[in-house]
Amino acid sequence: MDTTVDRVRAIAKHLAKLPDATIEMYIEDAIDEVEKQKVRNGKTKERLQRNLAAHFASLNVRRTTSHSIHDMNSSFNVPQGDDLKSTEYGQEYLRLLKQTNGGLLRLM
């Protein structure tokens, strides 16, 4: 079973306003990338797809981390590292992939 738009949004609430078609595009990309990893377990495959799609989408959606009512200030989430490590979803993808492949990662 491949992941769905609803499942991606369930873990990434900040993507609520992103059009379904955009998330579907990220899902297609995630499916292609996960297929390269040769993961056999269907449930793990879906989790990898879901987290990678959320990662891809999160790179293009600015998330506020704080607001101020007076003076209208906002702070935005800053990437936490490079590549997949820059979002919590990419970090989870890496964790799952490492667990699944026994520490062997195939680079994208």
Side-chain angles (χ1 to χ4, degrees):
M1 170 181 89
D2 290 328
T3 199
T4 64
V5 171
D6 289 338
R7 291 182 72 82
V8 172
R9 281 201 181 108
I11 65 166
K13 304 288 186 209
H14 66 282
L15 301 177
K17 293 185 180 182
L18 207 59
D20 286 1
T22 301
I23 295 176
E24 287 168 359
M25 179 187 65
Y26 291 126
I27 290 172
E28 289 172 14
D29 292 346
I31 288 169
D32 288 344
E33 292 299 329
V34 171
E35 284 301 315
K36 293 176 187 175
Q37 301 301 325
K38 310 251 187 264
V39 176
R40 290 181 179 90
N41 183 312
K43 184 175 180 179
T44 301
K45 213 184 241 190
E46 187 277 328
R47 288 177 65 195
L48 286 163
Q49 293 169 359
R50 181 178 358 131
N51 279 281
L52 190 55
H55 167 76
F56 290 153
S58 294
L59 293 175
N60 293 318
V61 175
R62 291 178 54 161
R63 293 184 277 170
T64 57
T65 56
S66 66
H67 295 280
S68 294
I69 295 174
H70 300 291
D71 297 329
M72 303 298 282
N73 293 325
S74 292
S75 298
F76 293 92
N77 193 25
V78 178
Q80 303 166 1
D82 296 327
D83 303 320
L84 288 166
K85 295 178 184 173
S86 66
T87 70
E88 60 269 34
Y89 312 105
Q91 292 168 17
E92 177 63 3
Y93 173 82
L94 289 172
R95 186 192 72 75
L96 287 167
L97 197 58
K98 184 176 180 182
Q99 180 182 42
T100 300
N101 291 338
L104 299 174
L105 297 178
R106 291 179 180 87
L107 298 178
M108 295 187 260

